[in-house]
Structures are given as structure tokens and as C-alpha cells.
Amino acid sequence: MEEKEISQAVIGRLPRYFRYLGELKDEGVERISSQELSELMKVTASQIRQDFNNFGGFGQQGYGYNVEYLYQEIGRILGLDRTHRFIIIGAGNLGQALGGYLNFERRGFIFSGMFDKNPDLVGKEVRGIRVQPMEEMEQFIRDNDVDIAVLTIPKTSAVEVAERLVHIGIRAIWNFAHVDLNVPEGIQVESVHLSDSLMKLSYNINRYLEENEQQCEKK
Ligand code: NAI
């Protein structure tokens, strides 16, 4: 299937489709209409059709989509049909929590190595992976075909470590440090800031409270 330039907004919605379709598949559902998927996911059926049309529509015939096919195709578009090896840099609270999370492997992300500058953490094991000193990072990436580096270090050191990763030819950085990383084109950076999500939640709480207050005043 030929793929045209797809907006980041559409790509951002694909993991959620993938998740729902995975659950439907596990429940033994074979076909689903855009209307049913819309009700399940609380998005409009036209949004679903528009999103899927970016990829040729996924051959909706007669009654709905073939769940298994759609799941496989979206997985393929997300690159989940191949494995990615990742290392974690920063074996503190967050690094250890991510390293300990089993489900990444289910999606083809293989936890391969962990690094920290703190000698007290070197040698400690997280899910069978030994924390190594930072001096060994480059050699490890070279020897183990590592695609992704996860940065769970403070922002003060993230830029410097990112430069080392770029230099060694890492393909992607999953950045949890609170700093924007400027990397050359061709290196993918996905930054995650959990507090952004929390601030969105705070906005919605406030908006709900304000609306309720206004309604009470009207009564
Ligand atoms: P932590 O202090 O438990 O762990 C940080 C680890 O990074 C330590 O083990 C430290 O030795 C190591 N480290 C520091 N500089 C390093 C360097 N140059 N090279 C290698 N290792 C280095 O902190 P925690 O709670 O794990 O958080 C890690 C970072 O992630 C913090 O900077 C925090 O602000 C950020 N964070 C981001 C979140 C997000 O949603 N993006 C959520 C939580 C934390």
C-alpha cells in the first residue's frame, strides 16, 4: 500500500486504534463497523473513516472492517512488526520503573541495557539487566544494534548525553528530561512530559468547576 505524508495528529491517534483493536481481537471479534468502533472509542465515525482513508481505507467491505487485518496493518504502519532495542540512561526512580515495565516487549521494544553515572548504581540489576557505567555506553550501542535511547536523567546533563548519542548514531531518543533536544534531521525525538498531561487535567477540573458555579448562580 502506498503511503502519503500523514499528519502527526493522525499518527498520534493510531496507537489508540491499535490498542482498542488489540482488545477486540483478544475478545474474538472478527469484524467491526466504523459506527461501532466510534461508539466504543468515543470518536466520530467520520473521524475514523477520515483517519483510515489516509492509508487507503483498510478495505472496509460490506459490514465493517476485518479486526485482525486492521490491527496488523496499523501495527505495521507504527513499525511494530519489527523489534527495536532500547537502552535506558539514568537508573534512578523513573529509569528503573520503565525498565521494570514488562509490556514494552509485547510491542517489540526490547530492553537491552541500562547506564548511570553513579558508581553506587553500577552493577545493580533491573529485570536482569545490569546497570553499566556511562563510559561503556558507546561500545554497547555499537555492539548491540540499539535503536532507541531513553533519557531519564536531569535536564542539566540531557543535552550533553544526547550529543554523545547523536555522535554514535542512535536512531531515536525517548526523552523524559525536561529540556528540548535539538538533534540533526533523521534522528527522531519523542519527548514525554507527564506534568503536561496533569496540567491538562487541572484545566479540565477548573473548567468543570467554573461551569457548575455559573449554572448555580443562574438558578
Ligand atoms: P532520580 O534522581 O531518581 O534519577 C536520575 C538518575 O540519573 C540518577 O540515578 C543519576 O545518577 C542519573 N544521572 C544524572 N546525570 C547523569 C548523567 N550525566 N549520565 C548518566 N546518568 C546520570 O530521578 P528520577 O525521578 O528518576 O527522574 C529522572 C529525571 O526525569 C528527572 O530529571 C526528572 O525531572 C525527570 N522526570 C520526568 C518526567 C516526565 O514526565 N518527563 C517524570 C518524572 C521525572
Side-chain angles (χ1 to χ4, degrees), residues 88-101 104 114 126 150-153 175-178 192 194:
I88 296 177
I89 302 166
N93 293 311
L94 186 56
Q96 290 190 34
L98 292 173
Y101 184 58
F104 293 139
M114 194 165 205
V126 177
V150 183
L151 284 190
T152 49
I153 52 179
N175 174 39
F176 285 82
H178 294 298
V192 181
L194 297 178

Side-chain angles (χ1 to χ4, degrees), residues 56-109:
F58 297 122
Q60 186 184 22
Q61 290 161 354
Y63 174 69
Y65 301 98
N66 178 316
V67 170
E68 171 76 39
Y69 173 74
L70 196 51
Y71 175 80
Q72 296 297 343
E73 279 300 294
I74 293 179
R76 189 187 59 76
I77 291 162
L78 288 169
L80 303 177
D81 54 343
R82 54 172 295 233
T83 55
H84 300 274
R85 294 169 72 83
F86 73 90
I87 56 169
I88 296 177
I89 302 166
N93 293 311
L94 186 56
Q96 290 190 34
L98 292 173
Y101 184 58
L102 287 165
N103 251 356
F104 293 139
E105 266 76 10
R106 266 191 65 207
R107 300 277 180 249
F109 298 96

